[in-house]
Amino acid sequence: LLGALELVSSKAQKTSWGRNRPFARRGNAELFERGLVTRVWDVLHVAPPFVVTYDEIDRIVTSIDEALTIAEAIYASELSD
């Protein structure tokens, strides 16, 4: 099971946040604080083990939602649309 979310600052133009932008670094730090070790560049990568449970998937999705919500709130001024 592999998953990825493309992170863009503009949905309409599909403008990438970029690999070393503060948004990506903050998102990565927030996920790490929630116990999710992954990498956040212009794409957020998720690769849980094959034996992942539904509860663990729910925790992963919740952690991603919380982390991106925080990063988005901080860097909202950089969003285009």
Side-chain angles (χ1 to χ4, degrees), residues 7 16-32 38-44 67-68 71-72 75 78:
L7 303 175
S16 173
W17 275 104
R19 187 172 180 164
N20 292 314
R21 298 290 303 269
F23 175 86
R25 288 195 306 267
R26 180 61 182 248
N28 198 42
E30 292 292 335
L31 287 169
F32 188 77
T38 186
R39 61 180 183 214
V40 181
W41 297 338
D42 52 343
V43 176
L44 186 153
L68 292 180
E72 181 181 8
Y75 299 101
E78 297 181 30

Side-chain angles (χ1 to χ4, degrees), residues 43-79:
V43 176
L44 186 153
H45 303 270
V46 183
F50 288 122
V51 295
V52 68
T53 66
Y54 287 113
D55 288 339
E56 291 168 330
I57 291 171
D58 285 342
R59 182 172 165 240
I60 291 168
V61 171
T62 298
S63 295
I64 291 170
D65 181 44
E66 291 172 356
L68 292 180
T69 298
I70 290 168
E72 181 181 8
I74 293 168
Y75 299 101
S77 64
E78 297 181 30
L79 294 172

